[in-house]
Amino acid sequence: MRPTRPGVLVGLVVVVALLTWMVVRQFYAELPIVPWTAIPTVLLLALGEAYSAWMTKARLDRKPGTKPVEPLAVARLAALAKASSYVGAVFGGMFAGFALHTVQLLTRETPRAEFFVATGSFLAFMALICAALFLEHSCRIPEGPEDTDLR
């Protein structure tokens, strides 16, 4: 599995944001109110992934007081990290597109509240992407002395 490239994630956020902005611009009146519950939920997911990354890195580096980690568990965490970064990019783009539309309507009460919720959700998904990239980086096997001799 190749490492996730941040440029692909940025491109995904931008494309989805523009598509969402075009759709929301046409159908804003028919859409339900943006839920604020995405913010704490995604932030808790990001916190969990960041903690997993920190613990996995310590276990792979064989820090004192840590148990060795199973290779299959590391592979599963790497897959989780890759999936989380792409899902975070898609949903972050959706909330960014929604915020792009509602920023033009800040004089009205409901769109103003939706702008702040959408912006907070976008930032929460950006935190999830950062945590996912950190987890993916933490799942890399550290180079040992025997690896450097072969090169």
Side-chain angles (χ1 to χ4, degrees):
M1 182 166 67
R2 296 192 177 270
T4 303
R5 295 186 312 192
V8 172
L9 297 176
V10 170
L12 194 57
V13 168
V14 170
V15 167
V16 171
L18 290 175
L19 290 173
T20 303
W21 174 72
M22 289 189 305
V23 169
V24 169
R25 191 176 59 170
Q26 298 295 321
F27 301 106
Y28 180 70
E30 290 90 30
L31 294 174
I33 294 177
V34 178
W36 62 269
T37 54
I39 298 170
T41 304
V42 174
L43 286 177
L44 283 173
L45 286 171
L47 185 65
E49 285 196 25
Y51 179 74
S52 295
W54 181 61
M55 290 304 296
T56 302
K57 183 75 172 151
R59 291 174 74 181
L60 284 175
D61 290 343
R62 300 181 191 266
K63 301 267 174 146
T66 61
K67 297 183 219 175
V69 64
E70 300 254 348
L72 187 58
V74 175
R76 287 178 180 159
L77 286 173
L80 170 70
K82 196 161 190 77
S84 294
S85 62
Y86 282 107
V87 168
V90 169
F91 281 99
M94 288 173 57
F95 281 110
F98 203 90
L100 281 173
H101 177 71
T102 55
V103 74
Q104 303 164 6
L105 307 170
L106 286 179
T107 56
R108 299 184 202 151
E109 186 176 332
T110 301
R112 184 176 346 138
E114 288 185 333
F115 168 76
F116 289 118
V117 170
T119 303
S121 299
F122 169 74
L123 293 174
F125 277 106
M126 293 305 106
L128 178 65
I129 291 172
C130 291
L133 291 175
F134 178 46
L135 178 58
E136 186 177 329
H137 178 74
S138 297
C139 290
R140 293 182 182 163
I141 305 296
E143 289 186 17
E146 64 276 353
D147 292 337
T148 56
D149 291 340
L150 295 174
R151 292 180 187 197

